[in-house]
Amino acid sequence: MIGRRTVLLAAAALLPAAAAAQAPQVQVAQPWARAPAGAGRSTAVYLSLRAGGTADRLIGVATPVAGMAMLHESFQDHGIARMRMVEGLDLPAGMTVTLKPGGLHIMLTGLKQQLARGGSFPLTLHFANSPPVTVTVPVLAPGASGPQTPG
Amino acid sequence: MTPRWRVRLLAASVFVLVLLVGAGGWLWLQQDQAAQLGGIGGPFALVDPAGHTVTDRDLRGRYLLVYFGYTFCPDVCPTTLTAIAGALDRLGPQAAHVQPVFITVDPARDTPKVVGQYAAAFSPRILALTGAQPAIDKVAAEYRVYVARHADDGKGDYTVDHSSIIYLMGPDGHFIAPIAADEPAKAMANDIARHLGGAAS
Ligand SMILES: [Cu+2]
């Protein structure tokens, strides 16, 4: 009897913790991508990330539409546009981190299908602590400069 | 000093003198070239999307916004071309005097058709040019453009680091000023308008 109660109590104590671990703690907002211009075989995804009560880290990205998806950063070095791979992106608790043109981006290469303007595709983000989050990325015009750009 | 040593000393002196004269001549030539070209820019013969040859002389009489990039570029080039297209829209009637020119640094992948479709996706006003590798190398050197191709990923995909500056050239073909390529359209339009002065209509 005592043993059973103990088990129940232990299970009850575990429940909130398990629920918290399952709840997505990182909010992913306003994803968007430019339609590759012309016969383009690459593009970039931009979005914003917000970790909840505890800090987290973006450690991977994946999408079925591209041969390769990776976290990348464009930077200017004495007037030269360069890109580098970013191993992971720290997400401080309660802070919004935004990926936008000319800086941090999720680079997609080896596109397996034409990403047409007006369409969308799924993108999955993997985090060090939170469970993965899959978002639908709308494809905007090649000349779009932000998620709000109409059409 | 033995005669043998004298010969050696003389030979060494002659060698140093040749080096000095050579270096001086090279410097003089560099300066002369820079003066002739006004530092940045120079003659070129490239190919437009229709396959026709376009030279620097064909573009005289208008201001040029010369930008080097490549169509595989996933982030920076679309951002800059979007800003150029937006800046031209904001320039209004003044835009009639300004011709944006996109020159690829990756002619192996960027055929005339490819660069044409690419530039047109941002604005029909942008003239896209490509050419044979030596012609691209020549124009890149004239504009002092840095180009470094990254290793192929095995699937034929590679990225290219490149100078990200827009060169504002005058109607006479001379370099006027650099325009920052990472500015939003509004700031870029103001930057360009400041140099157009007499062209305002
Ligand atoms: Cu990139």
Side-chain angles (χ1 to χ4, degrees):
Chain A
M1 191 67 196
I2 288 167
R4 197 173 156 203
R5 202 198 285 159
T6 310
V7 168
L8 279 173
L9 278 173
L14 276 172
L15 265 173
Q22 283 308 308
Q25 289 166 332
V26 177
Q27 288 174 28
V28 183
Q30 295 196 304
W32 64 287
R34 291 180 175 130
R41 285 168 29 239
S42 72
T43 191
V45 178
Y46 310 100
L47 43 76
S48 62
L49 301 158
R50 188 182 167 88
T54 50
D56 210 328
R57 186 173 164 83
L58 176 66
I59 52 168
V61 284
T63 176
V65 300
M68 189 157 61
M70 60 176 150
L71 186 58
H72 241 224
E73 183 172 30
S74 300
F75 63 104
Q76 297 276 332
D77 172 23
H78 296 94
I80 296 160
R82 296 183 193 270
M83 285 197 294
R84 67 181 151 221
M85 226 182 108
V86 178
E87 291 291 335
L89 182 63
D90 284 325
L91 306 171
M95 272 182 62
T96 300
V97 176
T98 303
L99 280 61
K100 54 176 186 282
L104 284 167
H105 57 277
I106 293 164
M107 185 162 96
L108 307 184
T109 60
L111 293 176
K112 295 171 183 169
Q113 62 191 72
Q114 190 64 35
L115 299 180
R117 174 183 178 173
S120 64
F121 60 90
L123 176 83
T124 302
L125 300 110
H126 296 272
F127 302 98
N129 304 320
S130 304
V133 175
T134 298
V135 290
T136 300
V137 182
V139 180
L140 308 184
S145 46
Q148 284 91 12
T149 311
Chain B
M1 200 180 270
T2 64
R4 201 167 159 194
W5 271 106
R6 266 186 212 175
V7 169
R8 281 191 186 173
L9 191 65
L10 185 69
S13 306
V14 166
F15 180 67
V16 168
L17 191 68
V18 166
L19 274 185
L20 283 174
V21 169
W26 184 78
L27 277 174
W28 179 81
L29 262 176
Q30 290 290 108
Q31 275 187 343
D32 189 48
Q33 263 187 358
Q36 268 183 13
L37 300 174
I40 287 167
F44 59 77
L46 298 169
V47 182
D48 74 6
H52 298 129
T53 299
V54 173
T55 71
D56 55 302
R57 299 212 151 257
D58 297 332
L59 301 174
R60 294 282 158 85
R62 304 173 82 187
Y63 289 87
L64 304 183
L65 291 171
V66 181
Y67 179 67
F68 291 81
Y70 64 111
T71 74
F72 189 80
C73 183
D75 178 45
V76 166
C77 308
T79 303
T80 297
L81 291 172
T82 298
I84 290 176
L88 258 80
D89 289 346
R90 283 167 183 275
L91 281 173
Q94 276 188 313
H97 305 279
V98 183
Q99 174 65 61
V101 182
F102 175 76
I103 302 176
T104 182
V105 293
D106 185 22
R109 288 185 295 193
D110 291 346
T111 61
K113 195 183 156 198
V114 168
V115 285
Q117 286 179 342
Y118 184 77
F122 298 97
S123 168
R125 300 192 217 237
I126 301 172
L127 172 64
L129 297 175
T130 183
Q133 190 71 56
I136 295 294
D137 290 346
K138 179 175 182 280
V139 70
E142 286 170 350
Y143 280 82
R144 301 187 191 164
V145 168
Y146 170 93
V147 180
R149 186 179 145 162
H150 280 244
D152 202 305
D153 68 352
K155 299 182 199 90
D157 287 349
Y158 53 85
T159 60
V160 186
D161 288 347
H162 58 94
S163 295
S164 188
I165 295 164
I166 300 166
Y167 302 91
L168 177 64
M169 310 299 287
D172 59 357
H174 279 86
F175 172 67
I176 295 177
I179 304 290
D182 54 354
E183 287 183 323
K186 193 178 172 187
M188 194 182 281
N190 290 338
D191 214 0
I192 296 164
R194 234 183 312 134
H195 296 284
L196 295 188
S201 45

